[in-house]
């Protein structure tokens, strides 16, 4: 059995096409390590629940984890204004509560005859350490993957890896600089999340009505934001001003969404998935997010808010000239108004991204090869 662990939606979003590539779905178990929100009602699970996969909306829990999980169930039932006041407690739970200890995890691994454990390399260090201890005693390979693309130049340290596979060519080439365990085996397999095959599959679970996609009288604008206070404050200014523009509709997507209950997310942010909002959008405004790759695949005009980016961050995507760099709020608003008045201008802001995908993402691997790589990888782990 292959155990896939996730904490937040971007992780299961990345793992879903990998799991889909495994031919024998009866050998797949999926569990959350997040006591706050397992996201079991997220549309992505619709693609997984019908495939004979062992999928539970409850994490692996010891006694302490069970108590935390029950408390979060109670908090989830409270009115939204009370949940908002408890955000410090909710945040503390996310970063500090580990739902299981080594003994409980070992029992789970033995009971389910686990042959491999796959987890995101950005998972909390406390959880990774427990997984490493339990797996090492049972000689179970730990397979770590990276959720997104390296689009920001920052230092990263991975504490313990046995096998690490990489979706993007660039991550595969850069990661060795940041790994402590020099015995780690690095493998480049391709990025199934950003293949045309999987992008088309996501359309099967879309909740956005077709008439919303086909309304040509309005300009659909989406804003993909990030949870930093200074940026959120400036985003609120942008949101307020865009909403005042006649014949423009706006949807806001927070990235990542990991320290909120379901009720909080539904109140504060759009209920649709990133893929659905990209489909809906005529224009996309963003800071930095790996899902830019999907925006490019769908040939959407991307307005990148460079003026909100911290001065110590460098974005690799900038050198490929496939997104539109925005230097001020005034420039952004003027562009939206111009496009609103003449939608034919949209094509001027869509650029060739083939070099970006070739050099940073797939290394010219086709969809079939990418899926075959993952299918054979997990099949060989059984031997």
């Amino acid at each position: 059995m292959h155990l896939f662990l996730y904490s937040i939606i971007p992780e299961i979003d990345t793992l879903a096409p990998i799991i889909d590539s495994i031919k024998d779905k009866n050998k797949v178990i999926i569990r959350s390590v997040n006591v706050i929100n397992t996201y079991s009602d997220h549309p992505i699970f619709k693609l997984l629940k019908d495939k004979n996969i062992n999928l539970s909306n409850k994490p692996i829990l010891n006694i302490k984890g069970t108590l935390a999980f029950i408390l979060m169930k109670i908090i989830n039932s409270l009115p939204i204004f009370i949940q908002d006041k408890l955000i410090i407690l909710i945040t503390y739970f996310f970063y500090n509560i580990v739902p299981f200890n080594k003994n409980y995890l070992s029992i789970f691994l033995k009971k389910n005859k686990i042959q491999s454990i796959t987890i995101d390399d950005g998972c909390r260090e406390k959880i990774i350490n427990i997984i490493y201890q339990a797996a090492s005693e049972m000689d179970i390979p730990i397979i770590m993957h990276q959720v997104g693309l390296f689009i920001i130049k920052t230092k990263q340290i991975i504490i313990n890896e046995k096998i690490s596979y990489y979706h993007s060519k660039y991550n595969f080439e850069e990661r060795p600089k940041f790994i402590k365990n020099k015995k780690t085996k690095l493998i480049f397999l391709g990025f199934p999340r950003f293949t045309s095959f999987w992008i088309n599959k996501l359309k099967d679970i879309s909740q956005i009505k077709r008439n919303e996609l086909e309304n040509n009288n309005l300009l659909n604008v989406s804003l993909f934001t990030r949870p930093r206070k200074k940026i959120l404050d400036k985003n609120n200014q942008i949101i307020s001003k865009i909403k005042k523009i006649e014949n423009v509709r706006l949807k806001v997507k927070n990235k990542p969404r990991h320290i909120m209950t379901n009720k909080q997310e539904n109140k504060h942010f759009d209920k649709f998935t990133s893929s659905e909002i990209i489909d809906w959008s005529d224009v996309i405004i963003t800071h930095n997010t790996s899902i830019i790759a999907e925006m490019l695949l769908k040939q959407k005009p991307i307005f990148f808010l460079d003026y909100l980016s911290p001065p110590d961050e460098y974005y690799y995507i900038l050198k490929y000239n496939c997104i539109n760099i925005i230097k001020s709020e005034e420039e952004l608003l003027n562009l939206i108004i111009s496009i609103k008045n003449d939608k034919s201008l949209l094509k001027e802001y869509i650029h060739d991204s083939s070099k970006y995908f070739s050099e940073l993402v797939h290394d010219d691997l086709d969809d079939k090869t990418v899926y075959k790589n993952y299918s054979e990888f997990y099949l060989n782990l059984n031997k």
Side-chain angles (χ1 to χ4, degrees), residues 35-59:
V35 297
I36 295 173
N37 195 340
T38 61
Y39 304 96
S40 56
D41 59 346
H42 191 276
I44 196 69
F45 286 100
K46 292 180 182 178
L47 291 175
L48 300 173
K49 286 179 179 178
D50 299 331
K51 296 180 179 293
N52 297 319
I53 291 172
N54 186 330
L55 174 62
S56 174
N57 59 3
K58 188 170 79 170

Side-chain angles (χ1 to χ4, degrees), residues 90-216:
I90 294 170
T91 303
Y92 175 85
F93 268 43
F94 178 81
Y95 286 109
N96 293 281
I97 298 297
V98 178
F100 49 76
N101 56 23
K102 182 173 76 74
N103 291 336
Y104 271 79
L105 179 60
S106 296
I107 291 170
F108 180 90
L109 298 177
K110 290 176 183 177
K111 180 181 177 180
N112 292 281
K113 299 179 180 178
I114 300 300
Q115 297 168 290
S116 74
I117 302 172
T118 301
I119 192 166
D120 166 46
D121 63 12
C123 184
R124 284 163 287 161
E125 187 173 322
K126 294 177 183 178
I127 293 177
I128 291 179
N129 278 330
I130 291 173
I131 294 170
Y132 186 81
Q133 292 167 18
S136 294
E137 289 183 2
M138 300 173 66
D139 199 29
I140 297 173
I142 301 170
I143 300 141
M144 303 191 75
H145 72 103
Q146 108 281 352
V147 164
L149 297 164
F150 272 2
I151 63 172
I152 308 180
K153 189 174 184 179
T154 55
K155 292 184 178 180
Q156 298 194 28
I157 300 295
I158 311 304
I159 55 171
N160 289 310
E161 294 185 339
K162 287 191 173 181
I163 302 174
S164 190
Y165 61 61
Y166 290 95
H167 312 303
S168 96
K169 178 186 176 185
Y170 184 82
N171 294 28
F172 171 67
E173 292 174 345
E174 286 290 299
R175 187 67 98 191
K177 300 175 185 177
F178 309 121
I179 292 179
K180 276 186 176 180
N181 185 354
K182 298 306 179 184
K183 293 181 180 179
T184 296
K185 184 179 180 181
L186 300 178
I187 305 170
F188 169 58
L189 300 175
F191 211 147
R193 174 59 179 84
F194 297 126
T195 58
S196 298
F197 174 80
W198 187 253
I199 295 298
N200 289 329
K201 209 160 193 176
L202 290 176
K203 293 179 181 178
D204 295 338
I205 58 171
S206 178
Q207 303 174 89
I208 291 187
K209 306 298 181 185
R210 183 165 294 279
N211 63 334
E212 285 196 66
L213 294 171
E214 294 178 345
N215 191 331
N216 293 322

Side-chain angles (χ1 to χ4, degrees), residues 10 101 114 117 158 192 194 196 244-245 261 263 285 333 344 370:
N101 56 23
I114 300 300
I117 302 172
I158 311 304
F194 297 126
S196 298
K244 291 177 182 178
I245 302 175
T261 65
K263 281 185 180 179
I285 305 165
L333 295 173
S344 67
V370 172

Side-chain angles (χ1 to χ4, degrees), residues 227-282:
R228 290 188 182 179
K229 187 179 185 306
K230 289 183 179 179
I231 291 178
L232 283 175
D233 290 342
K234 292 190 176 182
N235 276 341
N236 289 333
Q237 298 174 25
I238 297 170
I239 291 167
S240 176
K241 291 178 180 179
I242 292 176
K243 283 184 174 180
K244 291 177 182 178
I245 302 175
E246 189 177 352
N247 292 329
V248 169
R249 293 188 296 186
L250 177 68
K251 290 186 185 293
V252 179
K253 189 70 173 176
N254 185 47
K255 298 283 292 181
R257 306 184 305 164
H258 59 233
I259 54 172
M260 289 189 175
T261 65
N262 279 330
K263 281 185 180 179
Q264 288 176 307
E265 287 175 1
N266 290 336
K267 173 190 173 184
H268 295 296
F269 302 103
D270 198 277
K271 64 180 181 179
F272 298 114
T273 67
S274 297
S275 294
E276 290 169 333
I277 292 180
I278 293 169
D279 287 337
W280 174 86
S281 302
D282 295 311

Side-chain angles (χ1 to χ4, degrees), residues 4 12 24 29 52 61 114 162 208 216 251 288 350:
F4 290 83
I12 194 64
D24 190 353
I29 297 178
N52 297 319
L61 299 169
I114 300 300
K162 287 191 173 181
I208 291 187
N216 293 322
K251 290 186 185 293
N288 70 315
I350 300 172

